[in-house]
Amino acid sequence: MDVESKISEWVHNVDDLVFVVGSGRSGTTWLQAMLSMHPAIYSGPETNFFGAFSAADKSFSKTKGRRVGLSEYFSHELFYDSMATLFKVMLSGLPEPESQPKIFLEKSPHHCLYSDFLLKTFPNARFIHLVRDGRAVVASMLKGSKTWAKDWASGDVDAAAMGWIQKVNAAQRLQHQVAPENYIELKYEDFRINPHRELANLLTWLKVEASENWIEQAVIENSLSKCSVSERGFASIPETNQSAVRPSQNVSYPKGFFGKAPYTVKDIDLTKHQRLRVEYLIHKKLMELEYPEVCQNFSLIDRLQMFIAKKTTGKFKKIFP
């Protein structure tokens, strides 16, 4: 079978691969939906491609004391070219776009954890890092872990906070791995406060032209308040078609996927003690990112409570629900 023949013509003709990365629950799907409305930009469901094939990359890259493994059969060029081909075959499972897109926008936030693998496969890839206040991310994770996201979201304050900082740090490392013009960092809160301005600036970075009327339409059509009521999928993010092995039949998001989506500190849904613990763990990164109202000084009582929580249960949430 000729694998190359399985790649759709529109995939071959895409000029640019752009990856949206960062922590989950940071508004990345919302951003993807707005951008995907543009005829020059095409997208699809999260691929999780580089996470799924990371074991193969590790096996290929690992130095071995004897002649075994993938590196005995693949050269560096052949291995990563094969990964790129497989990625393009995967994209061909999407419906044919109405017009030839200039950009394919991939949104699997945790791809930042596999940046070496990704850049060996696509050295010219560009990255949009969308970052959100870690306290809001933790609150969203805790809420999701009880219902729709219980299979992947952590219900433990410590794990959720450390997961946020791990992915933010990984995404920020990308700016040292690529050319300056191939990385941009944006704040979710800025998008919520002034989506028209931020979207216009991002499209300029992407080198895509858009009128003020188009930007207005993109913002209105993807209003989070509208989505939280309907819980329907974003129309601009297509599902896989019948050429996929397991085509998706459900175009709706699970109940609870769209929440209140707070973007001010006062609206973050954490208890007093939960917020204290989160700030204790990630306050330096929050301050570095210039988020407001971050506690920097923790009293002896604060530290004692957190120490007891860690030693007695290992799960902060059980003592401070």
Side-chain angles (χ1 to χ4, degrees):
M1 181 181 68
D2 181 5
V3 177
E4 287 282 346
S5 68
K6 299 295 182 181
I7 302 176
S8 297
E9 184 177 356
W10 73 263
V11 177
H12 273 302
N13 292 328
V14 165
D15 294 331
D16 221 351
L17 279 174
V18 178
F19 293 83
V20 179
V21 296
S23 170
R25 307 308 293 163
S26 294
T28 53
T29 305
W30 175 52
L31 177 62
Q32 176 193 19
M34 286 191 288
L35 290 173
S36 298
M37 283 189 64
H38 198 286
I41 303 173
Y42 199 50
S43 194
E46 293 185 21
T47 68
N48 297 323
F49 182 90
F50 292 96
F53 289 97
S54 61
D57 174 57
K58 287 181 181 178
S59 176
F60 176 77
S61 302
K62 186 177 181 180
T63 302
K64 304 172 182 66
R66 55 198 178 98
R67 298 194 63 181
V68 296
L70 295 176
S71 57
E72 290 300 306
Y73 293 87
F74 288 90
S75 66
H76 182 280
E77 182 179 10
L78 179 58
F79 179 80
Y80 292 106
D81 281 353
S82 298
M83 289 290 104
T85 297
L86 186 57
F87 185 88
K88 293 174 183 178
V89 169
M90 175 188 65
L91 298 191
S92 300
L94 289 166
E96 192 86 12
E98 294 181 3
S99 59
Q100 175 61 47
K102 172 186 175 184
I103 294 170
F104 185 82
L105 184 74
E106 203 289 332
K107 194 277 296 183
S108 298
H110 71 283
H111 270 160
C112 57
L113 300 176
Y114 309 100
S115 58
D116 289 343
F117 179 19
L118 194 161
L119 286 168
K120 287 175 184 175
T121 307
F122 297 113
N124 297 317
R126 293 200 282 168
F127 299 89
I128 301 170
H129 177 204
L130 186 64
V131 61
R132 184 184 184 189
D133 189 322
R135 295 165 293 188
V137 170
V138 170
S140 184
M141 289 284 187
L142 295 181
K143 185 176 181 179
S145 70
K146 299 175 183 177
T147 53
W148 68 274
K150 60 184 178 181
D151 293 335
W152 63 270
S154 176
D156 176 60
V157 171
D158 284 37
M162 298 314 294
W164 173 82
I165 202 168
Q166 176 199 28
K167 293 176 182 67
V168 169
N169 284 337
Q172 289 186 325
R173 279 195 294 272
L174 277 162
Q175 64 186 314
H176 305 297
Q177 296 178 280
V178 300
E181 63 272 17
N182 287 350
Y183 174 92
I184 188 170
E185 183 173 288
L186 308 167
K187 279 188 177 180
Y188 165 82
E189 293 79 11
D190 292 339
F191 256 93
R192 290 297 307 280
I193 293 168
N194 197 331
H196 301 79
R197 179 193 66 199
E198 296 299 317
L199 184 56
N201 290 341
L202 182 54
L203 289 169
T204 298
W205 180 81
L206 288 168
K207 300 177 183 177
V208 170
E209 295 183 358
S211 67
E212 290 183 5
N213 288 340
W214 183 90
I215 291 172
E216 176 69 19
Q217 181 185 7
V219 171
I220 292 174
E221 288 296 317
N222 296 288
S223 165
L224 288 175
S225 58
K226 180 191 296 186
C227 294
S228 63
V229 173
S230 68
E231 296 192 350
R232 294 176 58 191
F234 289 110
S236 60
I237 305 175
E239 296 293 321
T240 50
N241 63 19
Q242 293 298 320
S243 68
V245 174
R246 190 179 63 180
S248 174
Q249 301 298 323
N250 182 11
V251 297
S252 297
Y253 287 88
K255 186 175 182 180
F257 183 88
F258 298 105
K260 295 179 181 179
Y263 59 94
T264 61
V265 177
K266 66 181 180 62
D267 292 325
I268 294 174
D269 189 18
L270 290 174
T271 67
K272 175 183 176 182
H273 289 110
Q274 285 174 335
R275 176 171 163 176
L276 177 69
R277 179 61 176 175
V278 172
E279 291 180 338
Y280 178 78
L281 291 170
I282 64 173
H283 67 278
K284 291 182 180 179
K285 179 58 70 173
L286 289 172
M287 292 173 61
E288 177 187 316
L289 293 166
E290 299 182 348
Y291 280 108
E293 302 176 43
V294 179
C295 179
Q296 305 175 50
N297 301 308
F298 302 90
S299 69
L300 182 59
I301 293 176
D302 293 335
R303 294 171 185 271
L304 181 60
Q305 287 179 330
M306 287 185 280
F307 176 79
I308 293 172
K310 184 176 180 179
K311 288 296 183 181
T312 57
T313 69
K315 289 204 172 184
F316 179 84
K317 65 172 185 172
K318 289 187 176 180
I319 286 187
F320 301 123

